[in-house]
Structure formats: C-alpha cells, structure tokens
C-alpha cells in the first residue's frame, strides 16, 4: 500500500469516528467521550511521540483538566466532544488551578467531532495568557483533520501501526454492534438452559414457592432503577417528630434530620445518577442513625445516653418511652440502609443445604422476574463449566454461545455487558447456579476470585451465585470475605426464609405437580412440610397414585421404596451392579470409619458411570468437598446427599448383606458404633430393618446395647403399624406405670398422644387407659412428668403448659374440635382440672354445649371409669348442665 493510500485510510477511519461521536451525542450517548480516550491513546502515542501516554482517570478517578498524559514527554491531552470556547477555557483554568504545569510542558485539547473555525473569545485568550505553559488556540486545539496532518509527518511504518489499531478498533466496534443486534438471541440461550433444567427436573416451576422476603431483596439488587422508589416510600414513613417531642419533655436537645430532603431527591435518569443518589442517601441515613443510637436499645451499646445532673430526673421519667421510640426509628433506618446496601451490591450469594430449593429459586428468577422486567441476564448451570478447561471457564462458556460477542478477553466482555446495561438502564446480571458442582474446585476457586475482581470493576454488571453451604464454608468463604465483603449480599438459607404458609403451599404444589391424591393426617403433613428432600422423594415414589389416607410417614419405608425405584430405572442387566456399587460405598465407609466422603479411586469405570448418573440427580449421591493436601490433588470424592439416607443404606447393607455373609462383622460394628458420628441414625434404621426382616442377629446386637431403651424410645415414630407387636404395647405400658425417669414418661406419653389410629397397636388409647387408672395425686405427678421439665416451679409450669394446650384447643372451631376424636377429647377432660380457671371453664363449656354429639358423648363415656375425683367432678358439672331445663 502506497503512502498516499495509507494516509487516506487513516483519514477515513478518523472521520468515521468523528461522525459516530456526533451521532452518539445527538442520541444522548455521551459515554462515547469516555470510550474515545482509550480508542485514541495508541494513535496519540505515535503521532505525538508519547510512548508512556496513558489514561489519567485510570491513575486517579476524575483526574482534573486532562484525560491522557505522558510523564516522559510531559505531554497532556484533554479529549472532548464540546468544541466551545467555554469548554477550552474551563480546561485551561483547571489545568492551572491544579498546578499541572509541574507535570506537563504542553497541553492539547482534542475535539473528537470538529473544532470551531476560530477561538477569539477574550476570556479564553486571558486564560491562555495566565497559563504557566505555552498554549496557542490556533495550534493546540485539534480535531481529526489536524491529526491527519500530523500523521503526514510520520513514517510509513508508523502510519501502518496506527491503521492496524484503527482497523482492529472498528472491527471490534462493528462486532459489538452486531452483538447488540443479536442481543435477544444471546439472552435467549439462557432460557434454553432453563428448559434443560426443567427436563432434568432440577427446576420444576409448578412446585416453586417463592420466599417473599428474598424476592423483594432481589428486586432491589437486579432492578434498582425501578424499585428505588420503594426506598423513598420507606423514608417518607419514618418520623422523628414523636421522638423529638419526648426528648423535649426530657430536657434533651432534639435530633436534627434531613429525612424529607433525602426522600425527595431529584429522580435519577440513569444508573450512574442512581448510584450517586444511593450513596448520598446512605451517608445521610448513617449520620442520622448515629445520632439516634444513644437513645436506642440497638446500635453501639457503648454510646448509651448519659444525662447531665440537670436532666437526670426528666430522663428517668421518659427514658423507657424515648428508648422504645428511638429503637423503632433506629430499626426502620436499619431496614432502609439494608435495602440501599442490596441495591448497591455487586454479588448476591445464596447458600443452603442440598435440596432446599436454590436451583428452583434462581431459575424462577431468570425465567419470570428478570424476563418480566427485561433485565439482561446470562444463566450458567455451574456443572456445565466442567466442559471447559481453566482458567477461563466462565468466559469460555459465554463465548461458546453462537450469538456471543467477539471479545479478546474477560474485560472486553464485561465492558460490553456494562455498556449494554447503561443503554437499557438495568444491571446486566450473570447467574451461576451451584458453583460446588464444578469438578476442579481448587482451580475454580482461584478462577472465581479473578472473575469477581474483574466484575467488581464494572459499575453495572452484577452476579447471582448459589452454593451448597458446606462447600461454601470449606472452599469458597475465603473467596468472598473479606475481599468482596463490601460488594456482597448473602442469603444464608432459603429454607429459613420460608414461612409456614410457604411450606403448606409448597406441599400442595408438589402433590398437584406429581398428580398425587390422598388425605394426610396432621403428623404426616408436618413431616413432609419440614423436610424438602423427603418431600421430593415421597412425591417421586407416589407420582400419579391415589394413596388414600396417610396417618403417618416412615422414613425407612420411603428410602427403601425410592432406592428400589431408582435401581429399577437402570437396564435390567445393570440393576444388581447398581446395588452392589452402593454396597461397596457402604463397605468402604464402614471399613474406613469415615462417613462424610470417600474417594472414587478403586471403583471401576462402570461403577463410576453409575455414580455420575446418581450424582446428576443429587438426591442419592453428591460430589463432595475434596480433602486438602497434596496427596488428594485430582482425586474426586463422593458421599450420600442426605445424611439419613446414608444411615439407612449403611444399616440396610449391614442387615441384608453383612448379617447373612459375615455375622461376626456385625457384632464388631455394634461394638464400635457408640464412638461413631452415625451412631444414632445407624442404630435407628438397623433396629427397624432387623424387625422388618426378622433378623435375629442384628436384633440381638441392638438389644444387647447398654442404652437400648434410649434408642427404642427415640425410634418409636419409626415403628410402622405392620411391625408393632403386643410386646411393644406392654413395654410402653410398663414405662408409663413404673418408670422413674420422667424423660421416658414424657417421651412415651407425647408419642402416644399423637398416635390417633385405633387400628395401630400403639395408639392414644394406651395413654388414655393409663391416665384413667390414676387417682388425683398420681395424676398430678404423671402430668408434671408429662408436661414439664425438672427445673422451676413444677405446679406453676404444669398449669401454664396445660393452659397453653387448652388455649390452642379453645381457639379451634367446632368441627376442628370434634375432629380430634374421642380419645383426645377424653384426655382433655383429664387435663382440664389442672389448668387455669379461664381455660378450664372454656373447655368445660364446650363439653356442656356439645355433649349430645357422638364425639363429646363418647369422650364423656370414656371418662366415666376414671379414678380421679377431679375428673368425676368435671363430669358431674357437665351432667348438671344437661339436666337444667
């Protein structure tokens, strides 16, 4: 290419850039001026012979007067799209006022559109004359045409280097423009990933029940331009007038505030303006909170208000009212500051145990909330990162999308996402679900730290991350704290954020989604509501079935059914291999006496494939936190996802496999288990399974244990009706009658009180029959053991405990009360004499009013043989009411 062609090409590039800046500024995209600084630096380095020219704003934020400078050549350049004399004068005045003449000998103003034909303003000339360095308005104010003339003074090689830079810059600009045109398709890939999560049932939309508090927090995080108004609303509701009135009466100076001013700040027009607004509000609220702290029960306790001698008496009179009101205001300010902090956060971290709904939460977030508000989002299932090698797995995953931008590195990607966020005035959110599922944890820990360091440099790119809590504590906690503490908001456990209503809705949603019909007793309902993994297992087992009435749920039965179902999903030829592989894990754990994790070393390829399939479902097996140390590098560890399922499998292996093939080994295990962490769980399922299997070897080992009765009582809820025997009935009757241990009596009595099925050998009538045989003195002693602990005022505790029970009963409606059944109502008549008079009277009134119903009549009849005089008095009182005309 000839020199003339080289120069022509340079002029075309520079002219195109000037034209695009004009168009961008006309459309209100003034951030192009900032982009121009980095765009032009390589050109100016060559054209002005400034080898060390750099962006001054990278050295010091909002560097005054000049944008780029070179300390070696002592040359400085201000880049602007404003060609006015006033803009140039402002630059010269700032240059002089900040003493930049000590750093630079020359100053140029480069207008990236077009300079004026002349600069004859008297004020500008005066500013130039006052400058400590020489500045000529005819030669030091440049535009692309002047730059083109300067290029004419360069060698062909220098012009070629400039052209190469300009070509690459415009190629990248055109690629970014193409990305913006393809943005919808790019974002649509995340929805495809959501659909993949649905197909694998990791995300089941119909069973997702949002936690309202966490959803609200996410709104501030991901869409602050829309939801900042709620912060203003909260501020307007905070009123210091009443607190100041109390302070005035206590002869204490009032607390000044500017709450109205910071709640009515000018509405932001951009994310940048919102960021400044939130900072302003945060600083102001922090100052007000600091002034209120001495009058609050919260805050810094070392700052408690101390009155002077004059106001001591007034303070003592009004102290409680002041501190009560001050605490309320302090708490309100704290809540607003939390919302502001969430809106400012860059990282939203969700941790929790396996199976607690983290994937459902983020998938629903992306599919519904983010999509509804058009928040640009990339969704990354972390296990997909295993398909890429470090140290840039996240970048590789993103750029593997065929609609992804053509970027050279991570910062190019984040810069582009940041500019997209500025255009749509919503943060660009990256969601990574389950970072614990990345196989190379050690490598990914370092990679994630680098990724977050880069992300936090971009104002409007944010990230949502989920992680199993034990992995977070073991591997990732050091990544986030303290380095990213100022950028982080964490939800420690989604399940803790769920109300009882949320849990009830979730249970209903699971039953509806899996098409399960049935009627659940309260015990069964509570059981499923409070264990989400068990609820998922139960639902998969009974999908599409009418299961009728469910009085109780036994974990051992559910585990066994689930394992059978999962084994049956494998080809018939592989099923025994699957079971043997699980047995092999159990054998390794028992042999090593290590129940947290085992290495997959020593398992063959077919066994590992079985494990991978089960790990993918994350209910039976999970990939585990690796051991530390050089010896364990590159070794993958696995464990059982659910501790109780692990205990069941270990017990099942012992009862079904070991007891038949190696009975002596069973005895060895039972000698060791008291020292093992799995002792309680293993014993529980071994005993229950031995009864189901009629395994005398294991039963004998269990019953020979020194603390067998403790285990027996703890495991009563696991004895399903089919294995309950008359011997069990006799054992519980003996404990109720003869036990000197109040804890045992309480445990048996409470167990029986909730066993409402007459068809079960162990049921509430055992308790009713025992109570009916007690006289008043014996009844009181028994109820003290049943309702109270061994500390405090026993008679008072008894009245309070029984009164609380009757209060709950009296709050029920008629049908709910009658639905409790005859034995429960009969027992309530036994309890009533020991309650406070108000609850006793309310209970007796119910029996008097509905004594002709079959339920109440049956309860009265059941109490007629009661030995207690107090109970007979209650019956007489009820009967007299019936006899009155």
């Amino acid at each position: 290419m000839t020199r003339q062609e080289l120069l022509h090409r340079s002029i075309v590039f520079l002219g195109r850039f000037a034209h695009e800046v004009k168009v961008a500024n006309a459309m209100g995209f003034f951030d192009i001026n900032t982009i121009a600084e980095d765009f032009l630096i390589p050109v100016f380095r060559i054209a002005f012979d400034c080898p060390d020219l750099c962006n001054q704003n990278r050295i010091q934020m909002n560097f005054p007067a000049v944008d780029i400078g070179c300390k070696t050549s002592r040359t400085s350049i201000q880049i602007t799209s404003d060609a006015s004399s006033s803009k140039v004068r402002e630059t010269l005045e700032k240059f002089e006022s900040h003493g930049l003449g000590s750093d630079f000998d020359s100053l140029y103003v480069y207008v990236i559109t077009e300079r004026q034909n002349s600069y004859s303003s008297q004020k500008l000339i005066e500013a130039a004359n006052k400058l400590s360095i020489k500045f000529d308005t005819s030669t030091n104010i440049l535009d692309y045409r002047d730059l083109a003339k300067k290029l004419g003074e360069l060698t062909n090689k220098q012009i070629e280097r400039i052209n190469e830079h300009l070509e690459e810059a415009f190629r990248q600009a055109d690629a970014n423009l193409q990305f913006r045109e393809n943005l919808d398709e790019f974002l649509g890939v995340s929805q495809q990933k959501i659909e993949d999560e649905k197909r694998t049932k990791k995300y089941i939309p119909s069973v997702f029940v949002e936690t309202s508090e966490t959803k609200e927090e996410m709104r501030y995080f991901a869409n602050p331009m829309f939801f900042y108004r709620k912060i203003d609303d909260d501020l307007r509701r905070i009123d210091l007038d009443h607190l100041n009135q109390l302070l005035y009466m206590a002869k204490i100076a009032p607390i000044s505030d500017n709450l109205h001013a910071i709640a009515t700040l000018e509405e932001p027009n951009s994310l940048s303006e919102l960021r400044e607004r939130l900072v302003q509000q945060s600083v102001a609220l922090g100052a007000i909170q600091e002034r209120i702290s001495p009058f609050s029960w919260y805050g810094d306790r070392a700052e408690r208000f101390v009155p002077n001698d004059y106001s001591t008496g007034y303070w003592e009179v009004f102290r409680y009212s002041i501190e009560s009101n001050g605490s309320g205001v302090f708490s309100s300010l704290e809540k607003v500051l939390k919302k502001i902090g969430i809106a400012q956060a860059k990282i939203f971290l969700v941790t929790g145990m396996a199976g607690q709904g983290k994937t459902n939460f983020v998938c629903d977030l992306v599919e519904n909330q983010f999509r509804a508000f058009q928040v640009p989002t990339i969704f990354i299932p972390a296990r997909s990162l295993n398909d890429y090698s470090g140290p840039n797995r996240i970048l590789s995953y993103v750029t593997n999308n065929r609609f992804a931008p053509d970027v050279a590195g991570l910062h190019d990607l984040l810069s582009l996402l940041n500019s997209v966020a500025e255009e749509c005035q919503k943060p660009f959110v990256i969601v990574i679900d389950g970072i614990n599922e990345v196989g190379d944890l050690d490598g990914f820990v370092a990679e994630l730290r680098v990724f977050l360091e880069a992300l936090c440099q971009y104002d409007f790119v944010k990230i949502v991350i989920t992680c199993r809590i034990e992995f977070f504590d073991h591997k990732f906690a050091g990544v986030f704290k303290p380095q990213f503490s100022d950028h982080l908001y964490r939800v420690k456990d989604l399940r803790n954020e769920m109300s009882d209503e949320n849990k009830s809705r979730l249970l209903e949603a699971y039953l509806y989604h899996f098409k399960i019909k049935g009627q659940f007793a309260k015990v069964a309902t509570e059981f499923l509501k409070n264990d989400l993994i068990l609820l998922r297992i139960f639902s998969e087992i009974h999908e599409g079935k009418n299961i009728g009435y469910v009085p109780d749920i036994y974990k051992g039965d559910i585990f066994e059914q689930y394992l059978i179902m999962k084994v049956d999903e494998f080809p018939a030829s592989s099923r025994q291999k699957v079971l043997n592989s699980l047995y092999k894990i159990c054998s390794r754990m028992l042999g090593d006496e290590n129940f947290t994790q085992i290495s997959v070393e020593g398992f063959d390829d077919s066994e590992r494939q079985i494990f991978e399939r089960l790990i993918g479902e994350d209910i039976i097996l999970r990939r585990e936190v690796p051991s530390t140390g050089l010896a364990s590098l590159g070794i993958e560890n696995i464990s059982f996802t659910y501790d109780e399922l692990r205990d069941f499998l270990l017990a099942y292996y012992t009862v079904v496999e070991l007891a038949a093939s190696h009975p002596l080994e069973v005895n060895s295990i039972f000698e060791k288990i008291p020292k093992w962490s799995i002792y309680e769980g293993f014993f529980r399922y071994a005993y229950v399974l031995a009864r189901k299997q009629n395994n005398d070897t294991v039963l004998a080992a269990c019953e020979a244990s020194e603390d067998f009765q403790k285990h027996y009582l703890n495991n009563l809820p696991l004895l399903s009706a089919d294995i309950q025997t008359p011997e069990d009935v006799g054992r519980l009757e003996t404990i109720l009658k003869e036990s000197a241990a109040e804890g045992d009596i309480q445990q048996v009595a409470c167990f029986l009180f909730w066993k409402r099925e007459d068809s079960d050998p162990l049921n509430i009538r055992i308790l009713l029959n025992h109570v009916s045989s007690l006289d008043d003195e014996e009844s009181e002693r028994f109820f003290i053991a049943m309702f109270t602990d061994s500390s405090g005022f026993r008679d008072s505790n008894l009245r309070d405990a029984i009164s609380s029970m009757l209060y709950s009963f009296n709050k029920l409606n008629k049908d709910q009360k009658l639905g409790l059944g005859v034995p429960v109502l009969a027992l309530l008549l036994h309890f009533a004499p020991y309650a406070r008079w108000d609850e006793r009277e309310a209970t007796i009134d119910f029996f008097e009013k509905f004594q002709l119903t079959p339920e109440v009549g049956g309860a009265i009849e059941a109490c007629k043989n009661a030995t207690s005089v107090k109970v007979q008095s209650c019956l007489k009182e009820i009967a007299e009411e019936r006899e009155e005309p």
Side-chain angles (χ1 to χ4, degrees), residues 520 524 527-528 531 533-542 547 550 552-566 619-620 642 644-645 648 685 688-689 692 718 720:
F520 293 82
F527 194 86
L528 292 175
D531 193 326
I533 294 184
L534 198 73
L535 174 57
R536 173 64 181 266
I537 293 173
F538 179 88
S539 298
E540 288 197 27
I541 292 170
H542 297 293
I547 57 178
V550 181
D552 209 340
I553 290 175
Y554 300 96
K555 284 186 179 180
D557 293 345
I558 292 178
F559 292 152
E560 186 169 14
Q561 293 169 37
Y562 184 74
L563 288 165
I564 291 171
M565 183 182 78
K566 284 300 167 184
I619 293 180
I620 295 177
Y642 191 26
E644 285 215 55
L645 180 57
F648 174 83
Y685 291 112
V688 172
L689 284 167
K692 283 180 174 290
L718 296 180
S720 53

Side-chain angles (χ1 to χ4, degrees), residues 745-813:
I745 293 174
Q746 187 177 72
Q747 201 165 357
V748 171
C750 290
F751 166 75
L752 291 172
F753 185 77
W754 290 102
K755 300 296 288 185
R756 311 285 170 81
E757 291 301 309
D758 282 346
S759 59
D760 292 359
L762 301 181
N763 67 72
I764 192 173
R765 290 190 180 274
I766 297 172
L767 177 63
L768 177 59
N769 293 337
H770 175 69
V771 169
S772 296
S773 69
L774 304 177
D775 61 27
D776 290 338
E777 186 178 343
E778 292 168 333
S779 293
E780 184 168 358
R781 282 201 304 269
F782 182 80
F783 293 153
I784 285 174
M786 179 177 175
F787 284 100
T788 71
D789 56 34
S790 58
S791 62
F793 300 99
R794 305 294 293 278
D795 55 344
S796 176
N797 286 348
L798 176 62
R799 283 196 301 274
D800 290 343
I802 291 181
S803 297
S804 177
M805 172 182 279
L806 295 185
Y807 173 77
S808 299
F809 169 74
N810 289 321
K811 284 179 64 179
L812 302 176
N813 61 41

Side-chain angles (χ1 to χ4, degrees), residues 41-325:
I41 283 175
V43 178
F44 288 159
R45 279 178 183 156
I46 298 172
F48 288 86
D49 191 21
C50 300
D52 298 319
L53 194 69
C54 61
N55 191 325
Q56 295 298 111
N57 288 318
R58 298 287 171 85
I59 301 172
Q60 176 187 326
M61 288 296 294
N62 299 317
F63 193 89
V66 297
D67 295 313
I68 55 180
C70 175
K71 293 294 180 70
T72 304
S73 65
R74 295 179 62 82
T75 301
S76 62
I77 304 171
Q78 170 73 1
I79 298 175
T80 178
S81 59
D82 184 351
S84 67
S85 295
S86 60
K87 175 62 179 178
V88 178
R89 187 187 80 245
E90 178 189 347
T91 298
L92 301 186
E93 290 173 347
K94 283 186 177 180
F95 186 96
E96 190 64 20
S97 66
H98 286 86
L100 297 183
S102 61
D103 295 322
F104 303 110
D105 295 331
S106 59
L107 167 65
Y108 293 93
V109 175
Y110 185 81
V111 181
I112 46 182
T113 50
E114 290 181 7
R115 71 191 298 277
Q116 294 178 177
N117 290 331
S118 65
Y119 288 86
S120 55
S121 163
Q122 188 60 37
K123 290 184 178 179
L124 172 57
I125 294 172
E126 290 175 1
N129 291 335
K130 291 179 182 178
L131 210 58
S132 57
I133 61 173
K134 182 181 177 181
F135 186 88
D136 188 334
T137 58
S138 61
T139 58
N140 287 63
I141 304 174
L142 313 172
D143 63 13
Y144 74 96
R145 293 166 298 188
D146 301 297
L147 183 57
K149 292 176 185 177
K150 260 192 161 316
L151 299 188
E153 302 170 6
L154 304 177
T155 65
N156 285 5
K157 190 68 175 175
Q158 289 173 315
I159 300 171
E160 283 179 2
R161 283 166 54 199
I162 288 173
N163 282 349
E164 286 171 3
H165 163 69
L166 293 173
E167 284 176 2
E168 174 58 25
F170 278 113
R171 185 199 66 76
Q172 187 63 58
D174 291 340
N176 290 351
L177 182 63
Q178 184 65 44
F179 169 65
R180 283 173 165 83
E181 291 176 357
N182 292 335
L183 183 60
D184 287 343
E185 288 85 354
F186 174 76
L187 298 177
V189 172
S190 288
Q191 185 58 40
Q192 294 175 21
K193 295 298 179 184
I194 297 291
E195 296 302 320
D196 290 343
E197 300 299 271
K198 291 178 185 176
R199 280 190 287 273
T200 59
K201 290 190 177 180
K202 287 184 174 291
Y203 169 41
I204 306 176
S206 59
V207 302
F208 173 69
V209 175
E210 66 190 21
T211 52
S212 55
E213 183 177 344
T214 307
K215 178 183 178 182
E216 188 76 0
E217 292 167 349
M218 185 58 72
R219 285 172 168 166
Y220 293 104
F221 177 81
N223 197 5
M225 276 294 287
F226 188 86
F227 288 101
Y228 80 87
R229 299 173 182 84
K230 293 171 73 68
I231 293 174
D232 289 352
D233 291 342
D234 290 343
L235 285 172
R236 281 189 278 268
R237 283 192 288 269
I238 299 174
D239 186 6
L240 287 179
D241 288 347
H242 184 52
L243 176 60
N244 279 330
Q245 288 173 6
L246 292 168
L247 292 173
Y248 174 79
M249 289 188 286
K251 308 300 181 182
I252 299 170
I255 295 171
S256 60
D257 72 276
N258 55 347
L259 282 171
H260 176 74
I262 61 174
T264 55
L265 291 171
E266 186 176 346
E267 291 191 3
N269 294 311
S270 67
L271 286 170
S272 297
E273 291 181 9
L274 174 62
R275 181 182 55 191
E276 294 173 3
R277 189 181 198 270
L278 292 174
V279 169
Q280 186 178 348
Q281 287 181 324
S282 180
V283 171
L285 290 177
I288 296 171
Q289 196 179 42
E290 188 175 341
R291 292 194 288 273
I292 290 174
S293 179
F295 305 104
S296 163
W297 295 319
Y298 312 122
D300 187 349
R301 302 299 295 177
E303 296 179 350
R304 299 302 86 200
F305 175 75
V306 178
N308 55 37
D309 293 340
Y310 168 73
S311 61
T312 299
Y314 296 100
W315 170 247
E316 291 304 321
V317 171
F318 294 102
R319 176 174 183 168
Y320 180 80
S321 297
I322 289 172
E323 291 187 338
S324 176
N325 191 272

Side-chain angles (χ1 to χ4, degrees), residues 407-425:
V407 293
L410 178 58
H411 281 281
D412 288 340
L413 171 66
L414 293 173
S415 178
L416 182 55
L417 301 185
N418 198 66
S419 63
V420 170
E422 288 187 278
E423 288 174 17
C424 67
Q425 292 305 313

